[in-house]
Amino acid sequence: MTIWDLLKKLDIPVNNEALIEQAFVHSSCMNEKTDYKEDYERLEFMGDAVLQVSVSNILFNHKNHWSEGEMTLIRARLVCEEALAGYSRKLGLEKYLVLGLGEERNGGRNRDSIVADIFESLSGAIYIDSGLENAQKLIYAVLPDDLEAYNAMSVMDYKTKLQEFVQSDRRDVVTYEVISVTGPQNAPTFEVVVKLNDLVFGKGIGTSKKRAEQMAARDAFEKLVK
């Protein structure tokens, strides 16, 4: 099946074939294949925005009437790198990737980060080519039916919640730091801060380092989803 067959199957019209093809051009081939003038990175940027609004729309209108915090957490799971790579593979998009020889040899066609990128770039290309409604045909074709299961997953530790939340912005880095240990040696109290990109976002106290980290993560998570 070609990409054109796939789009036809999804009832997505194509006005500019070159734009759709660009959605699969990885930067590694730009110096090797002179017939490609631009890679998919700008389309990926647009596709990220299309995904955010499309998934937000589904969650906002869901029968469960989820809270802001619940919607934010579910959306983070639905648009994280692992999920996007899964959507691409479900549609077989990795077959259409155009890679440089070095990237091909190094397994780029199977790398989650690249496979996830092309789902975003194709979403962006379709949006530019024929509008939001058609881009959503691609997105809604692969989203899981049981969104309630994604919300049920929220009953887990706050460190995991926080990590999944910040994955929606891949630039964020979460770190934990013990800032004090007080009390007797056999019953110490730990004070921990959690940082996002070296900025303190939460603080927690516990009778173990792990417990204090959980409390710090909870503090940060509850601040971020408000």
Side-chain angles (χ1 to χ4, degrees), residues 9-85:
K9 182 179 178 181
L10 295 173
D11 193 30
I12 297 172
V14 176
N15 300 306
N16 185 342
E17 290 188 357
L19 186 65
I20 301 300
E21 290 172 344
Q22 183 188 328
F24 299 97
V25 178
H26 188 259
S27 59
S28 63
C29 76
M30 295 307 295
N31 294 327
E32 301 176 21
K33 300 181 185 294
T34 57
D35 48 336
Y36 295 108
K37 296 181 180 179
E38 189 174 355
D39 59 36
Y40 63 57
E41 291 181 358
R42 282 167 49 82
L43 293 175
E44 179 193 354
F45 170 83
M46 182 63 75
D48 176 71
V50 173
L51 271 162
Q52 293 287 335
V53 72
S54 299
V55 173
S56 297
N57 182 60
I58 282 185
L59 297 177
F60 185 84
N61 291 297
H62 196 274
K63 63 183 180 180
N64 282 13
H65 200 74
W66 283 310
S67 68
E68 179 190 2
E70 288 173 318
M71 289 190 294
T72 300
L73 185 58
I74 299 169
R75 185 180 63 188
R77 291 192 176 114
L78 291 171
V79 301
C80 70
E81 181 180 287
E82 181 181 1
L84 296 179

Side-chain angles (χ1 to χ4, degrees), residues 142-193:
V142 293
L143 286 181
D145 295 326
D146 188 11
L147 295 179
E148 288 91 342
Y150 276 72
N151 189 48
M153 289 168 60
S154 64
V155 184
M156 59 173 61
D157 65 273
Y158 276 93
K159 286 183 70 175
T160 301
K161 281 187 176 185
L162 181 63
Q163 186 64 47
E164 289 185 339
F165 178 83
V166 301
Q167 276 182 344
S168 60
D169 185 340
R170 299 175 194 171
R171 295 166 296 180
D172 287 338
V173 177
V174 180
T175 56
Y176 295 85
E177 180 182 332
V178 177
I179 59 173
S180 72
V181 182
T182 58
Q185 190 172 5
N186 63 341
T189 297
F190 294 83
E191 186 173 10
V192 168
V193 294

